[in-house]
Amino acid sequence: MADSQLFEETFSVTSLNAQKYDRVSRISGTSSSNETFLTLDINTELYPCAVGDRINMVLASTLSLDGTKDDGKGWRDVGRGEASLADMYDYVCHGKIYRFEEGDGEMIKVFISFGGLLLYIEGPYKRLTPLRIDYVYLLLKKS
């Protein structure tokens, strides 16, 4: 993982709920190591998913390949005309980490909002501690 990549894991989609909204589904998944779990609201019109899909997820502090901060630039300007981390992924969002909760034992829960689309991750404290920042990029691709 590069310095800008705070968390990276491959998840298997275990359930998909598309009942509430037309273009948004809530997917649930388990990491390949079975120690991290996620629930993610995703725009399935842009990024279709199905139960059984394997999705590589990265949470990063910047889209710059060299790890430099995008201070002074809006998220829309990041990577314009230059290679970025987003070029390697199919679905990219920018969001705010708004809550941490202690879980059972060594587990921690992290809540992130991407303009109303929510991500909930539960996993080992040591793996999720780097997420104690304000804003992150979510990058997804199928593996």
Side-chain angles (χ1 to χ4, degrees):
M1 269 188 316
D3 291 337
S4 65
Q5 295 183 17
L6 306 170
F7 177 82
E8 182 174 13
E9 187 65 75
T10 300
F11 291 90
S12 294
V13 177
T14 56
S15 69
L16 185 127
N17 182 347
Q19 294 175 344
K20 195 162 188 162
Y21 301 104
D22 292 335
R23 293 179 287 260
V24 175
S25 294
R26 178 162 285 176
I27 63 171
S28 296
T30 305
S31 68
S32 50
S33 63
N34 284 328
E35 58 183 13
T36 308
F37 307 95
L38 78 81
T39 301
L40 172 66
D41 296 338
I42 192 163
N43 184 329
T44 50
E45 190 174 71
L46 298 175
Y47 192 75
C49 292
V51 172
D53 284 353
R54 293 180 47 80
I55 297 173
N56 180 258
M57 180 179 81
V58 170
L59 295 173
S61 59
T62 179
L63 293 177
S64 300
L65 291 174
D66 61 2
T68 56
K69 300 280 180 204
D70 12 274
D71 295 333
K73 293 189 213 176
W75 64 269
R76 295 174 196 253
D77 299 325
V78 175
R80 287 227 192 262
E82 59 189 57
S84 76
L85 198 56
D87 297 333
M88 296 182 268
Y89 291 86
D90 302 321
Y91 187 81
V92 180
C93 295
H94 184 256
K96 178 168 180 50
I97 298 174
Y98 66 92
R99 188 167 79 198
F100 279 89
E101 285 183 7
E102 299 299 320
D104 300 329
E106 293 292 313
M107 302 295 269
I108 191 171
K109 300 172 184 176
V110 181
F111 298 83
I112 307 170
S113 175
F114 301 96
L117 298 178
L118 303 178
L119 168 63
Y120 161 78
I121 307 174
E122 182 175 359
Y125 180 81
K126 290 182 181 181
R127 291 283 322 273
L128 299 178
T129 297
L131 297 177
R132 290 196 177 268
I133 62 171
D134 287 333
Y135 295 96
V136 292
Y137 291 94
L138 166 77
L139 301 108
L140 298 177
K141 67 179 173 183
K142 294 191 180 167
S143 54

